[in-house]
Amino acid sequence: MKIKNFADQFGITLLEVMTAMILISCSLLILLHMAMTALDGNDWSHRTTVATQVLQEKLEHLRGGGTAALVSGSDTTHGMIRTWTVTDQGSHLRRVDIRVDWDDIKAGSHSNALTAYISTDSL
């Protein structure tokens, strides 16, 4: 009867398996962190784009509404607070300051602002 020599066998030891599992786990945690950072960046980018569109929308509304529409005010749209101030600059010219404030998913406060001058036909 032959006795098998276990030293000549090739295989994976428990220590090698545990080391591989630890390396894979660490790699997956790093990838998860990168994915969360990318999602935060995408959310910020989306909200900044929407804020810019909301600013432009209000400016176009004030430009197209005539002299009666050129009054200061505020409203809430797309979960963002939009305020605008109209000041008379003389010579049929109005200065319009529009500001949009919003909170991101981490409750951080952000804002975007726009200033434009609108020429009117009458005072």
Side-chain angles (χ1 to χ4, degrees):
M1 177 186 247
K2 284 186 167 181
I3 298 175
K4 293 183 178 180
N5 187 359
F6 290 106
D8 293 337
Q9 293 184 0
F10 295 102
I12 300 174
T13 65
L14 185 60
L15 181 61
E16 291 171 332
V17 171
M18 293 298 287
T19 304
M21 287 178 59
I22 289 171
L23 287 174
I24 289 173
S25 297
C26 290
S27 300
L28 290 176
L29 285 174
I30 291 170
L31 287 175
L32 179 64
H33 177 69
M34 289 173 49
M36 294 306 294
T37 302
L39 288 174
D40 288 345
N42 287 342
D43 179 66
W44 178 83
S45 176
H46 170 71
R47 290 178 189 254
T48 302
T49 301
V50 171
T52 303
Q53 290 172 343
V54 165
L55 286 171
Q56 186 67 29
E57 174 186 296
K58 189 61 183 176
L59 180 61
E60 294 300 324
H61 175 261
L62 291 172
R63 278 186 180 159
T67 307
L70 289 173
V71 294
S72 299
S74 67
D75 63 1
T76 302
T77 181
H78 300 286
M80 300 177 178
I81 300 170
R82 177 174 59 184
T83 58
W84 60 95
T85 306
V86 179
T87 55
D88 186 12
Q89 298 293 307
S91 300
H92 305 285
L93 189 64
R94 303 281 199 281
R95 177 183 170 151
V96 178
D97 296 303
I98 309 170
R99 180 183 171 105
V100 175
D101 296 301
W102 74 93
D103 294 330
D104 62 11
I105 58 175
K106 292 184 176 180
S109 181
H110 299 280
S111 66
N112 203 350
L114 169 71
T115 300
Y117 290 90
I118 299 174
S119 177
T120 60
D121 292 336
S122 64
L123 296 173

